[in-house]
Amino acid sequence: MIVRTKKYQLATGTYIKTALVSVLKEQWWVGLIYLAICAGYLWIPNWWWIIGATIGLTLYLLFWLIQFAGVTQLEQGKFMFQKLSYEITSQQILLKLNPKQGMPMKWEQIKRVKKGKDHFVLFLSKAQLLYFPFKIFNNENEIKFIETVLKRKGFIK
């Protein structure tokens, strides 16, 4: 079966939010480091422990925010923000710019998948992702087919 989607353009805000939340979930241990530095206040009571840790955490968050905002401006990342349609089979995903131009992507290139209440997110790396809202599919059977393929590939349970 081949699933042909409607054309869809990923909004930069959606991309930044999705990528940032993903990185923060992956690197949850940074919060523990923040708390450990703040706990220095118990050792030597001084507000600079908390101020320094908060500045460090803010800089960490800004670093990732700038990274993902920068991807939206780079020439190499422009393909993610173009209006594309997709042809999805159990062998590959074909990203189509128009009926004559497209790029195949094997399932092996996908690192992990997250299924939300109204979308699928396929992560190729920390900075590259494919975002499929359910509204780009033509019917409920196509969503179920994609979900079945993702289960068979071991991406979702």
Side-chain angles (χ1 to χ4, degrees), residues 59-124:
L59 289 174
Y60 171 80
L61 293 172
L62 277 174
F63 168 78
W64 283 111
L65 186 63
I66 290 167
Q67 293 294 314
F68 295 130
V71 167
T72 64
Q73 304 302 314
L74 288 175
E75 192 62 38
Q76 297 93 330
K78 289 289 184 195
F79 83 93
M80 286 193 304
F81 306 105
Q82 292 179 339
K83 198 162 191 138
L84 301 170
S85 62
Y86 304 91
E87 286 185 11
I88 305 168
T89 65
S90 57
Q91 287 82 31
Q92 68 180 8
I93 301 169
L94 184 61
L95 290 72
K96 294 180 73 173
L97 189 56
N98 58 46
K100 294 183 184 195
Q101 290 179 309
M103 180 180 92
M105 181 177 296
K106 296 286 183 195
W107 284 104
E108 291 78 35
Q109 293 176 267
I110 308 295
K111 304 286 187 243
R112 61 190 175 88
V113 175
K114 178 185 159 235
K115 181 186 180 208
K117 63 180 180 177
D118 62 346
H119 64 273
F120 293 110
V121 183
L122 287 67
F123 293 93
L124 305 164

Side-chain angles (χ1 to χ4, degrees), residues 22-56:
S22 169
V23 164
L24 294 179
K25 282 183 180 179
E26 255 182 44
Q27 298 181 359
W28 57 269
W29 47 267
V30 172
L32 294 178
I33 294 171
Y34 171 76
L35 292 175
I37 294 171
C38 287
Y41 180 83
L42 302 173
W43 179 49
I44 301 172
N46 191 331
W47 283 101
W48 286 109
W49 288 103
I50 296 169
I51 293 169
T54 303
I55 289 171

